[in-house]
């Protein structure tokens, strides 16, 4: 409430309870964003999650300057001068300016109803084409833009067959490697060679996730990160994302025809970039020598990766890969790929 009293131009809630809720949410938001100061990508995700709530409470980008001043005024009121002097004020102004750029952009996106353009244009696309045609057009477009990515297709097709033979292992170890499904789903075949109809289904799944990002932000990021962990396992690289998004949007533009506008392109780019940035971050975090050894199924690379671990942390690193907040078991990873040699090496080293 103290924050609201200092923010003269922010829409004031009619009930005191609403004012308390907004003040509490602002305080929680400030604390969390400061904690993530050195993890900018995760900080951005947190801002995305809060933006919708702030927007619904009446906050707009033009209010952020006053909100920042209000928070600073509260600090000055509550803290002694030696704890909030000119230096601390300058630090706060700097920090809030960083937060305001991202939060203001998200509030503008919501105000311009960009998310609805995505929903409406997708409805048009599904009316104008069938699954087979959608998959064919996208496949052709992706091949034109990034033909070098096709090296990964056959590998995934062969690995899919091996995973079926290890179904029992998958079921027994599912609680250890919860991130990995018993068999590839539509999403895990992101870059697999499949019938064109499968590509159409894949695009439907991707768009459904993107639409989820516009209304269920927290759920979206949770599911997206689990998806990212699975794609690390399949050797997908972060630089695959921009060509994929470009092919996706250009395919939709071709199908929509004259009804596709520049504003529609901007809307799709906005939604896609939000998802791709987060996924690329996860893919980069998983790009360790140990992960590369598991992806390639190379015992030589695994020996080299393990030899570089400090002895005191070696066992822990061989039991789990920490891709930010998600834990993955290298042993179960190797077993899922049918690489008993890698799994045996890890177990022997642990013992």
């Amino acid at each position: 409430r103290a924050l609201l009293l200092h923010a003269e131009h922010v829409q004031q809630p009619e009930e005191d309870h609403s004012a308390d809720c907004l003040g509490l949410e602002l305080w929680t938001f400030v604390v969390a964003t400061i904690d993530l100061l050195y993890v900018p990508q995760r900080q951005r995700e947190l801002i995305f999650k809060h933006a919708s709530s702030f927007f619904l409470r009446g906050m707009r980008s033009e209010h952020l300057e006053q909100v920042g001043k209000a928070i600073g005024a509260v600090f000055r009121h509550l803290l002694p001068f030696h704890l909030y002097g000119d230096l601390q004020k300058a630090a706060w102004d700097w920090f809030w300016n960083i937060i305001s750029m991202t939060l203001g952009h998200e509030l503008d996106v919501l105000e311009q109803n960009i998310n609805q353009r995505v929903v409406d244009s997708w409805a048009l696309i599904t009316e104008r084409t069938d699954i087979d045609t959608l998959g064919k057009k996208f496949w052709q477009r992706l091949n034109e833009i990034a033909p070098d990515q096709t090296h990964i297709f056959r590998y995934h097709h062969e690995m899919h067959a091996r995973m079926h033979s290890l179904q029992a292992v998958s079921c027994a170890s599912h609680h250890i490697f919860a991130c990995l499904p018993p068999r590839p789903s539509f999403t895990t075949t992101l870059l697999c060679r499949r019938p064109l109809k499968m590509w159409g289904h894949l695009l439907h799944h991707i768009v459904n996730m993107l639409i989820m990002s516009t209304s269920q932000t927290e759920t979206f990021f949770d599911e997206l990160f689990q998806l990212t962990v699975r794609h690390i396992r399949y050797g997908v690289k972060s630089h695959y994302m921009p060509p994929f998004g470009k092919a996706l949007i250009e395919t939709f533009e071709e199908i929509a025809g004259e009804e596709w506008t520049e504003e529609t392109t901007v809307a799709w780019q906005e939604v896609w970039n939000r998802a791709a940035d987060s996924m690329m971050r996860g893919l980069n975090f998983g790009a360790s020598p140990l992960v590369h050894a598991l992806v390639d199924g190379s015992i030589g690379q695994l020996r080299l990766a393990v030899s570089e671990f400090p002895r005191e942390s070696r066992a822990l690193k061989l039991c789990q890969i920490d891709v930010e907040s998600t834990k993955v078991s290298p042993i179960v990873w190797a077993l899922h790929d049918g690489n008993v040699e890698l799994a045996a090496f890890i177990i022997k080293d642990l013992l």
Side-chain angles (χ1 to χ4, degrees):
R1 184 178 299 166
L3 295 175
L4 289 175
L5 291 175
H6 287 281
E8 298 175 354
H9 302 294
V10 177
Q11 179 178 327
Q12 301 293 323
E14 294 180 0
E15 300 180 4
D16 288 342
H17 177 68
S18 297
D20 290 338
C21 288
L22 178 54
L24 179 60
E25 183 174 0
L26 277 169
W27 177 251
T28 302
F29 174 75
V30 168
V31 171
T33 50
I34 290 176
D35 287 343
L36 295 174
L37 180 62
Y38 297 106
V39 195
Q41 289 293 345
R42 290 186 61 193
Q43 187 186 70
R44 287 185 63 193
E45 290 180 10
L46 181 72
I47 293 172
F48 294 151
K49 293 175 183 179
H50 280 272
S52 295
S53 176
F54 288 148
F55 182 81
L56 291 176
R57 293 183 185 278
M59 187 181 292
R60 299 295 184 265
S61 60
E62 60 266 24
H63 300 149
L64 294 181
E65 181 179 356
Q66 289 298 323
V67 171
K69 290 179 179 178
I71 297 174
V74 171
F75 291 159
R76 185 173 60 252
H77 176 73
L78 296 177
L79 298 174
F81 180 78
H82 70 280
L83 291 180
Y84 193 74
D86 293 340
L87 184 62
Q88 288 77 15
K89 179 182 182 302
W92 167 252
D93 291 342
W94 168 81
F95 175 77
W96 186 251
N97 181 60
I98 293 175
I99 298 302
S100 294
M101 286 190 292
T102 302
L103 180 56
H105 176 76
E106 285 303 302
L107 292 172
D108 287 341
V109 166
L110 293 167
E111 189 167 16
Q112 295 165 16
N113 213 18
I114 284 179
N115 296 335
Q116 191 59 44
R117 291 181 198 159
V118 170
V119 174
D120 293 343
S121 58
W122 175 240
L124 174 66
I125 291 164
T126 55
E127 288 176 3
R128 291 194 171 183
T129 190
D130 53 49
I131 293 290
D132 290 328
T133 304
L134 180 62
K136 180 179 179 180
K137 287 182 178 296
F138 173 75
W139 171 252
Q140 291 173 340
R141 185 71 65 175
L142 184 61
N143 253 344
E144 292 172 1
I145 295 174
D148 57 304
Q149 294 183 12
T150 58
H151 73 279
I152 201 170
F153 297 168
R154 182 171 291 118
Y155 166 75
H156 288 318
H157 181 73
E158 294 169 354
M159 185 169 64
H160 179 74
R162 293 204 306 271
M163 288 177 70
H164 276 284
S165 67
L166 290 166
Q167 190 71 32
V169 174
S170 172
C171 293
S173 59
H174 184 71
H175 68 285
I176 304 175
F177 198 4
C179 300
L180 184 65
R183 63 184 64 190
S185 64
F186 289 146
T187 54
T188 58
T189 57
L190 177 62
L191 294 170
C192 297
R193 176 166 288 150
R194 291 288 185 265
L196 295 178
K197 188 171 185 177
M198 180 69 79
W199 283 92
H201 282 293
L202 171 62
L203 294 190
H204 274 257
H205 185 89
I206 290 173
V207 173
N208 286 337
M209 282 198 67
L210 292 176
I211 291 175
M212 180 196 297
S213 75
T214 68
S215 58
Q216 305 173 51
T217 312
E218 189 161 355
T219 301
F220 165 74
F221 279 115
D222 290 342
E223 294 192 9
L224 181 68
F225 197 73
Q226 298 298 323
L227 175 65
T228 303
V229 171
R230 294 198 295 268
H231 281 80
I232 290 173
R233 181 180 178 279
Y234 290 104
V236 175
K237 311 298 183 186
S238 60
H239 65 267
Y240 292 178
M241 295 297 104
F244 192 95
K246 181 174 171 50
L248 185 79
I249 294 171
E250 289 183 0
T251 300
F252 293 164
E253 182 178 3
E254 178 186 351
I255 294 171
E258 295 181 356
E259 294 189 48
W260 187 276
T261 66
E262 182 63 30
E263 289 76 13
T264 310
T265 298
V266 170
W268 278 98
Q269 288 174 339
E270 183 71 37
V271 174
W272 169 258
N273 289 340
R274 177 187 299 166
D277 286 349
S278 181
M279 193 165 188
M280 287 190 291
R281 172 177 56 82
L283 292 171
N284 287 331
F285 267 97
S288 67
L290 177 57
V291 169
H292 286 311
L294 293 168
V295 168
D296 295 339
S298 169
I299 188 68
Q301 291 183 44
L302 181 60
R303 290 181 188 276
L304 180 61
V306 171
S307 69
E308 297 176 353
F309 294 154
R311 192 66 211 180
E312 65 271 14
S313 61
R314 184 163 170 165
L316 179 60
K317 290 180 180 294
L318 286 174
C319 287
Q320 66 181 29
I321 301 170
D322 188 353
V323 185
E324 290 194 301
S325 59
T326 303
K327 305 294 189 295
V328 180
S329 167
I331 298 174
V332 180
W333 183 325
L335 291 175
H336 263 282
D337 282 356
N339 200 322
V340 178
E341 185 182 12
L342 290 186
F345 174 85
I346 295 172
I347 293 172
K348 183 177 179 180
D349 192 88
L350 289 170
L351 298 177

